[in-house]
Structure formats: C-alpha cells, structure tokens
Amino acid sequence: DVLADQLLLVGGRFAQTRLQLRPGADAVAVQLDGPALAGNLRVPTADGGTVSGQLARVYWQAATAATAESSDTPAEPINPANIPPLALDVDDLQFATIKLGQTRLRTRPTSDGLQVQELAIRAPKQVIDVQGEWRGMGAQARTRATAQVQSEDLGDLLQRLGYAGQLRGGQGKVNLQAGWQGGPMAFNLATLEGGMDM
C-alpha cells in the first residue's frame, strides 16, 4: 500500500497516486487511485502474460527530466518490445491536452517493437478506430498508424485534439495513414507524414 507523490509509468507522470498491490497465485492485483489514474489492473507473474485492466480514468502527461530524481540524468528511452501485451478498457482517457473519451486498447509485442491491434475510441458524436505499430527506441523510434474516424461534429473533434476554433460542426469520415519519428507520445499533427481522405 504505497502513495506515490509522482508515479512514473510508461513515459507518463501521475501525481498523488495510491497503489495497492495484492499478490495472487498467477498474478498481482493492482488497485490505482489518484486524480489522473484510477482503476484496477491484473499483472501476470509469468513472462509474456497479458496485463489487463479496467480503468476509470487515465490522464497521461509526459514525464520530463524535472520529474526524475536527478534532472541531469536523461530519461531512459522506452523499448516498446519490452512492454507486455495490454488489454485495457478506459472509461475516460486524456493524452496531454487531447480528450479522447472511452477507450479500448489491445496490443502485442513484436521482435523490435509493439503492435497496436485495436485502439477503439468512443466519445459523444465521435468514433475512432486505430491500428498501428511502434518500432525501435531512442533516435531510431518510429510510429505508424492507420485511423478511421466517423464524426457527427468535426468541430468538437478538433477541439478534443487541441485545435479549438478551427471549424464549427460538420459531419464526415476521415481515413488517415500516418507515420512520425519517435514513439506514440511524440505525436504531433505538424510533423506527420502520410495521407488523409475526407
């Protein structure tokens, strides 16, 4: 039973998070409770097992050097091939300032990275389905994704993505094939390479 002032997890920072761990025969039950992270996880003790869970909220903010104990030590790059398979359902997901909503995530590791088999995002008037991959680490990291978006309010969608005031209303479908240098956390509309059909 631990209260973390700053919980650093998969490149993210979650302040004032309480963790309660209960070992079982083949997995550790983890209960999380904090303003940015809350819910339950099941972490298998065997290598290669799927980490599964139901989370009420995940408000992901990037961990910076200032949040590390020693700010002059660069953060270790994340090797996506070392991330176990994930099967997570999140009621309310926020990625930095991007408000995504209800999310279902299914992944599996590959020899040099991670494959996103399913990332299904549901918010009022928005349906987003993403598949993709994250390969390599550090300067060699690269992310590729394909996304299908159905929106009954494109203005609301842009606002959720941090681009408020660009468009009002509007209905439509968007198919996006994109890639960028870095991991998924380095996503930035300004640096995308790819194509989009609307």
Side-chain angles (χ1 to χ4, degrees):
D1 188 352
V2 176
L3 177 61
D5 182 48
Q6 296 287 338
L7 175 64
L8 304 179
L9 187 64
V10 193
R13 168 179 49 87
F14 304 93
Q16 295 297 314
T17 304
R18 183 179 184 187
L19 295 94
Q20 294 176 297
L21 288 78
R22 187 177 311 277
D26 58 354
V28 176
V30 181
Q31 185 173 352
L32 302 154
D33 190 19
L37 183 62
N40 298 292
L41 294 175
R42 181 183 180 278
V43 181
T45 53
D47 286 343
T50 300
V51 175
S52 59
Q54 178 70 45
L55 300 162
R57 62 184 164 274
V58 177
Y59 302 154
W60 191 93
Q61 293 290 329
T64 62
T67 61
E69 190 173 349
S70 173
S71 60
D72 58 353
T73 303
E76 287 291 320
I78 297 171
N79 184 349
N82 291 340
I83 298 173
L86 301 174
L88 303 176
D89 296 309
V90 182
D91 293 336
D92 185 12
L93 175 63
Q94 186 169 319
F95 187 79
T97 59
I98 301 171
K99 297 178 180 178
L100 296 172
Q102 189 176 23
T103 304
R104 175 181 165 91
L105 175 66
R106 302 294 184 266
T107 71
R108 71 174 186 84
T110 63
S111 60
D112 64 344
L114 178 103
Q115 180 182 27
V116 176
Q117 298 171 301
E118 178 186 9
L119 176 58
I121 299 166
R122 303 295 183 259
K125 301 183 180 181
Q126 315 297 341
V127 173
I128 303 171
D129 291 302
V130 180
Q131 297 83 37
E133 60 184 17
W134 171 17
R135 296 185 178 268
M137 55 187 287
Q140 314 314 273
R142 180 104 178 127
T143 302
R144 294 188 185 281
T146 60
Q148 297 82 41
V149 179
Q150 296 182 39
S151 176
E152 295 178 26
D153 187 340
L154 289 167
D156 173 69
L157 177 61
L158 287 176
Q159 180 172 335
R160 287 177 177 276
L161 296 176
Y163 294 90
Q166 304 298 312
L167 184 69
R168 286 191 194 149
Q171 297 179 353
K173 294 181 181 180
V174 178
N175 291 315
L176 174 70
Q177 304 85 38
W180 61 92
Q181 288 296 122
M185 294 72 77
F187 175 83
N188 185 330
L189 284 178
T191 62
L192 291 185
E193 299 171 359
M196 179 171 67
D197 297 318
M198 296 184 70

